[in-house]
Amino acid sequence: MQNKTDEVRAKETGDAVLVQQKQTTQDLYLLGNEANKPIKLLNLVLSKANVKTTLASDVLKKIRKRNFEGALLSLKSLKQVVSAQSALLIANGMKADTETMLENAFNNITATWRGLVYLYTGIPVPPLQ
């Protein structure tokens, strides 16, 4: 009887983890979708301001392909470009809160991605540097 009880507990635990993995994956996809439109607009502003970078396009492609680790690395670089060229980009139509939006998107996607990796592997992921 104890063996059957242990089997049921193991199955219930596995099912709960699977549900949590699915929910976290769905949350990650939602965060990517939310970042999509503002990054598209930023890409247009970058073109208008003649800032030569493909980072915004790279982020969009990686989000579309669900490569969130790659998207995070490109997003981090994009934040640096936007920060360095902020005055020029604002003069060409970028919203003043775009840097904050990029920072929030980066932080939210990073936290969710790290949680998802932990759910699948059980190994904590170090912060992206």
Side-chain angles (χ1 to χ4, degrees):
M1 183 67 165
Q2 184 63 40
N3 289 342
K4 291 294 181 185
T5 303
D6 291 342
E7 286 178 24
V8 169
R9 283 190 184 131
K11 181 166 178 20
E12 288 174 352
T13 302
D15 290 346
V17 170
L18 180 62
V19 168
Q20 191 175 11
Q21 288 171 341
K22 287 181 179 182
Q23 182 60 51
T24 304
T25 301
Q26 185 178 20
D27 293 345
L28 188 59
Y29 290 174
L30 182 63
L31 289 170
N33 291 341
E34 288 173 0
N36 198 22
K37 184 177 178 181
I39 294 174
K40 280 184 180 179
L41 294 173
L42 177 60
N43 197 22
L44 293 173
V45 172
L46 288 166
S47 295
K48 184 178 176 184
N50 290 322
V51 175
K52 304 294 183 204
T53 183
T54 61
L55 289 170
S57 297
D58 290 346
V59 171
L60 293 170
K61 287 176 190 174
K62 289 173 182 172
I63 286 174
R64 187 175 54 249
K65 292 181 179 182
R66 306 302 191 204
N67 174 4
F68 286 97
E69 184 176 10
L72 287 171
L73 295 173
S74 294
L75 188 57
K76 184 175 181 180
S77 298
L78 180 60
K79 286 187 325 180
Q80 293 171 347
V81 169
V82 168
S83 180
Q85 301 289 331
S86 182
L88 174 64
L89 295 173
I90 288 174
N92 281 282
M94 181 180 84
K95 293 182 179 180
D97 68 341
T98 299
E99 286 184 70
T100 304
M101 181 279 304
L102 291 173
E103 182 70 29
N104 290 340
F106 179 82
N107 291 338
N108 292 336
I109 291 171
T110 298
T112 305
W113 175 77
R114 290 177 72 210
L116 186 61
V117 170
Y118 180 75
L119 284 172
Y120 276 100
T121 65
I123 301 169
V125 179
L128 294 174
Q129 298 295 327

